[in-house]
Amino acid sequence: MLSDKPDIASLSLDPVSHVLSRKVDASCTVSHDGINSLLENEHRHLRNIETRKASDEKTLSELMAPGPSSRPLRQIETVKSSECLEGMISPSIRSAGTPRAGLPSFEPHPMVGEAWENLRRSLVYFRGIPVGTIAALDPTQEALNYNQVFVRDFVPSALAFLMNGESEVVKNFLLKALRLQAWEKRIDCFTLGEGAMPASFKVLHDPVRKSDTMAADFGESAIGRVAPVDSGFWWIIMLRAYTKSTGDHSLADMPDCQRGMRLILSLCLAEGFDTFPTLLCADGCSMIDRRMAIYGYPIEIQALFFMALKCAKLMLKPEAGGKAFIERIDKRLYALSYHIRSYFWLDFQQLNNIYRYKTEEYSHTAVNKFNVIPDSIPDWVFDFMPMRGGYFIGNVSPARMDFRWFLLGNCVAVLSSLATPEQSSAIMDLIEARWMDLVGEMPLKIVYPALEGHEWNIVTGCDPKNTRWSYHNGGSWPVLIWLLTAACIKTGRPQIARKALELVESRLSKDGWPEYYDGKLGRYVGKQARKFQTWSISGYLVAKMMMEDPSHLGMISLEEDKKMMKRYLSRSASWTF
Ligand code: GLC
C-alpha cells in the first residue's frame, strides 16, 4: 500500500554533504543499570546453555567474556527539557573517522565499511540537520515513496547509530516525529486520532527559496488508506533505546515526549467493545503494509504493543495524568501476556489439542473458547510442527486461527519477554528445526508459508506484488537479521545468528543490498525489490555490532516482570511444557 504511492516531489540529496563520517567513540553504550541487567542476562544465558549444544556453549561464553569489547561507561549527557522542539534538535556530527576497527577477536568484515558508507549516504537533512534515513537509494528504479523516511525503517538505522555512539540523529528523528504527531490528520471528512504517528515523512527542499518543508503520510496518501499502527509503538521503543543507550533521561522526561507517549497510549488503551486485550487492527497497518489477511489481532502488532507498553511504563512520569496511564498499562500487560501466551502459542501438544477440539461449546467451561473448527487447520502445519519447538501463531479471533509463522512478531515477543523463557527457547528450536523453510539461502522469511492459487486470489485480492514466495507473501527480508540476532543473543543461541549472518555475507553486498528476495529458499533477488534498501544495510550492521558486543542487546531487550509471572503461575500453566 504505502510503497506504491506516487512521489510528492523529488528529494534532492547532495551526496557529498550527506556523507557523515563515522564517529569513533570508545565510550560505553550502557548505563550502570544496563550493566546490572546484562549481568543478570549473562547468568540466565549461562543457565540456558547448560541444556544446549556444546558448540553454542563455547560461542556464547566467547561472546560474553569480558575482553576487548567491554568499554568504559558513557558519561551521561544532560540536555535541558524544553517545550521548544526545534531548539532541541542537535546539529549533525561531522567528524571524520572510519568504522571502529581493531577489536582483535572480531576482524571487521569488508561489508561493514561499505554498509556504513551506504548508511551515511542515506541520511536525510532538514534545515541542515540529520533527521532520519531514506528508505532506499536505488538510482535505477522509480522512487515512489522509497525516498521518504519511514518510521519503522529507521529503527535499525537508529540502533546502528546508537551502538556507534552517534545519538544525535536519533534524538532529532524522535523530536521530528513528535512534531508531526501534532499535525491534524484527515482522511476525507474524517479526523484520525491525535496520537497517530506517521508511516513516513519527506523533506521537501525548495532550491529557490532555499527552504525545507515537511510532508508526512499518516495513511491518508497510502494506497489502501491504512494508518500505521506500528509507528507509535516503534517511536516509544526507540525513545527507550535512546534513553538506555545514552543514559540521557532528559529527552524522555520532556513534557512534549511525555505527552506524545500519553497520546499514543490513549489510542491503544481506549475502551470499546473489545472482549480481548489484544488490539484490533486493519490489514496493512504494519511492516506488511498491503492486504495479506493480517487484519484482526496480528501477532506483529500485539508483540510491538506489549513491548511499547513495557517501554512506556519505564519512562512515564506520574505527573499530568501519567500515573493513571501507568496503572492502565499494568492491567493491560497482565491481560495481554496471559491471552497471547495461552491462546497464540502453538507447539506439538497444543496442535494435537486443537486437532481434537469439540465445537459449539457454550459457557465458562468451554475448552475451545473461540470455537475454532479443527477442519480449518491447514495441512502444512501438521508437517511443519516439530516435536520440539513452538511459536506464536499469526492471529487468533473467533473461529479463526491464522497458523502462519511471522518472524517479526515472534522475535519481538522474545525481546520483550512476552514469551516465557521456555517459549523463547522453543521459538529458537523451531527456527533450527525448520531452517530451510524459515531461513533458507537468504535470511529471513517474513511469513511462512506463502499463499498460493485460489487462496492468494481471495486473500491478497490478486496482488501481483505479493505472488507466492515474493515480497510480503513468503519473501525473505535481510533486514530481519537484526531481530533474529537479538533474539538469539537473548536466548543464548548466538550460533544460530552466526549461521544466518554467514548467509547474508555471502550475497547481500554483491547483490546490491536488496530489499527482499524471492523463492521458497529466498534464492532470487526480489522481482520488484529496491537495491540499496537502507534497512537491509542497517539491519546487517546492527546484527554485526550485537554479535561483536552483546551488551548492546540491553537497548532493545526487556526482562520479564517477576511480579506478573507470579500472578499467572497461580492462574494457569497452559503455556508451559
Ligand atoms: C514497503 C514495506 C514497508 C516499508 C516500506 C519502505 O512498503 O512493505 O514495510 O516500510 O516499503 O521501505
Side-chain angles (χ1 to χ4, degrees):
M1 287 173 192
L2 291 164
S3 52
D4 295 329
K5 196 174 62 141
D7 194 9
I8 310 168
S10 64
L11 175 69
S12 68
L13 275 178
D14 165 3
V16 181
S17 65
H18 289 81
V19 178
L20 284 187
S21 319
R22 186 176 184 197
K23 184 176 160 198
V24 185
D25 188 350
S27 57
C28 185
T29 52
V30 283
S31 60
H32 271 300
D33 219 30
I35 285 184
N36 283 340
S37 74
L38 283 163
L39 285 175
E40 249 181 66
N41 253 350
E42 185 173 350
H43 287 139
R44 198 159 49 76
H45 290 171
L46 293 173
R47 259 180 274 129
N48 282 344
I49 292 166
E50 283 165 19
T51 60
R52 239 149 252 141
K53 290 180 214 143
S55 61
D56 264 6
E57 268 177 48
K58 187 165 165 275
T59 329
L60 183 75
S61 44
E62 272 167 18
L63 275 169
M64 301 300 286
S69 59
S70 50
R71 286 172 275 151
L73 276 180
R74 166 188 298 284
Q75 285 194 334
I76 293 173
E77 288 169 33
T78 44
V79 181
K80 278 189 214 117
S81 176
S82 158
E83 293 288 329
C84 171
L85 297 182
E86 294 301 343
M88 291 288 300
I89 293 183
S90 325
S92 57
I93 311 152
R94 291 180 190 272
S95 60
T98 51
R100 191 198 305 131
L103 291 174
S105 51
F106 295 99
E107 201 42 49
H109 192 280
M111 263 169 72
V112 169
E114 187 198 325
W116 273 109
E117 245 171 61
N118 284 315
L119 180 59
R120 293 185 194 293
R121 211 171 287 138
S122 76
L123 279 165
V124 170
Y125 290 80
F126 180 75
R127 299 181 188 159
I129 52 165
V131 290
T133 48
I134 199 168
L137 262 179
D138 184 347
T140 64
Q141 291 207 51
E142 203 191 335
L144 296 173
N145 57 352
Y146 282 89
N147 57 10
Q148 304 199 15
V149 178
F150 278 75
V151 172
R152 70 177 74 89
D153 294 43
F154 185 65
V155 175
S157 300
L159 295 175
F161 285 121
L162 288 174
M163 288 175 188
N164 198 41
E166 298 177 53
S167 56
E168 289 83 352
V169 60
V170 182
K171 179 158 83 179
N172 296 343
F173 169 88
L174 290 166
L175 291 169
K176 220 9 112 205
L178 196 59
R179 263 233 175 282
L180 297 172
Q181 185 196 36
W183 285 13
E184 197 200 3
K185 299 149 276 222
R186 287 175 78 93
I187 296 189
D188 296 332
C189 319
F190 189 66
T191 309
L192 255 74
E194 240 189 307
M197 284 273 181
S200 60
F201 62 82
K202 177 173 177 146
V203 179
L204 305 164
H205 298 286
D206 184 336
V208 182
R209 290 195 191 153
K210 295 209 166 52
S211 67
D212 288 350
T213 47
M214 280 274 182
D217 182 3
F218 294 86
E220 79 279 25
S221 311
I223 297 172
R225 300 290 187 265
V226 185
V229 178
D230 62 341
S231 287
F233 296 152
W234 279 126
W235 183 84
I236 293 177
I237 294 166
M238 274 190 274
L239 181 61
R240 189 258 171 187
Y242 170 89
T243 309
K244 183 87 179 173
S245 148
T246 59
D248 168 19
H249 291 259
S250 64
L251 181 66
D253 285 352
M254 269 176 61
D256 290 298
C257 281
Q258 291 285 318
R259 183 166 183 273
M261 270 190 277
R262 289 196 304 269
L263 285 176
I264 296 168
L265 294 169
S266 318
L267 285 181
C268 58
L269 295 176
E271 286 172 3
F273 290 98
D274 306 295
T275 44
F276 309 135
T278 33
L279 202 64
L280 187 58
C281 299
D283 230 341
C285 66
S286 65
M287 174 179 180
I288 298 179
D289 55 1
R290 305 163 76 92
R291 186 170 147 189
M292 267 297 290
I294 61 145
Y295 62 88
Y297 304 91
I299 187 65
E300 310 273 273
I301 290 293
Q302 311 313 322
L304 284 173
F305 179 28
F306 182 85
M307 186 155 191
L309 288 182
K310 276 183 91 164
C311 291
K313 191 181 151 186
L314 294 170
M315 296 183 292
L316 271 179
K317 302 208 298 185
E319 297 86 58
K323 187 164 177 277
F325 275 107
I326 296 170
E327 284 161 12
R328 285 165 77 188
I329 287 176
D330 269 333
K331 283 192 191 146
R332 193 63 170 257
L333 280 174
Y334 172 59
L336 193 58
S337 51
Y338 179 82
H339 184 91
I340 294 175
R341 288 173 177 188
S342 312
Y343 307 127
F344 278 65
W345 184 250
L346 193 75
D347 54 17
F348 180 78
Q349 188 54 52
Q350 183 60 6
L351 179 58
N352 211 155
N353 296 344
I354 299 169
Y355 175 66
R356 289 166 51 80
Y357 266 169
K358 293 185 180 52
T359 56
E360 313 298 331
E361 292 175 302
Y362 182 75
S363 99
H364 293 287
T365 53
V367 175
N368 180 5
K369 293 188 175 123
F370 308 115
N371 199 35
V372 174
I373 321 287
D375 273 355
S376 70
I377 307 174
D379 287 345
W380 66 264
V381 192
F382 294 104
D383 299 329
F384 178 70
M385 183 58 75
M387 291 303 291
R388 198 184 142 90
Y391 65 105
F392 292 112
I393 62 169
N395 218 308
V396 176
S397 59
R400 176 179 172 233
M401 288 181 106
D402 178 350
F403 290 91
R404 284 176 296 171
W405 152 267
F406 290 82
L407 183 114
L408 187 147
N410 276 278
C411 286
V412 173
V414 171
L415 293 176
S416 61
S417 293
L418 168 59
T420 63
E422 292 80 8
Q423 286 173 333
S424 295
S425 298
I427 290 170
M428 292 298 141
D429 289 339
L430 179 96
I431 294 174
E432 279 200 306
R434 293 292 170 256
W435 186 262
M436 286 322 279
D437 293 327
L438 305 180
V439 186
E441 293 184 17
M442 177 53 77
L444 286 144
K445 282 268 151 45
I446 188 168
V447 46
Y448 178 88
L451 305 165
E452 309 193 35
H454 185 60
E455 209 185 3
W456 164 79
N457 190 329
I458 303 290
V459 168
T460 70
C462 303
D463 187 343
K465 208 167 168 183
N466 273 337
T467 50
R468 68 182 200 281
W469 307 112
S470 181
Y471 199 44
H472 300 137
N473 187 12
S476 299
W477 292 64
V479 58
L480 298 172
I481 191 73
W482 81 262
L483 278 162
L484 177 78
T485 304
C488 287
I489 294 174
K490 178 152 186 185
T491 51
R493 313 276 282 266
Q495 200 55 37
I496 300 179
R498 184 160 296 151
K499 257 171 73 186
L501 262 164
E502 273 167 23
L503 293 169
V504 168
E505 288 179 338
S506 70
R507 288 194 54 186
L508 197 62
S509 148
K510 277 187 223 137
D511 290 340
W513 307 90
E515 179 188 14
Y516 64 95
Y517 285 76
D518 284 356
K520 236 178 176 161
L521 296 174
R523 184 177 291 171
Y524 300 94
V525 173
K527 213 175 3 183
Q528 293 189 42
R530 292 295 183 292
K531 296 282 184 85
F532 298 96
Q533 179 80 20
T534 304
W535 67 1
S536 300
I537 295 162
S538 53
Y540 166 71
L541 284 174
V542 172
K544 282 299 266 190
M545 283 190 280
M546 274 191 294
M547 290 297 278
E548 181 184 322
D549 180 356
S551 72
H552 288 313
L553 180 70
M555 269 185 226
I556 200 72
S557 163
L558 298 161
E559 288 311 302
E560 190 156 43
D561 183 340
K562 302 267 158 32
K563 262 197 266 161
M564 198 158 71
M565 266 311 285
K566 271 197 199 139
R567 272 167 86 187
Y568 318 110
L569 287 176
S570 54
R571 227 183 127 169
S572 165
S574 58
W575 61 84
T576 54
F577 299 100

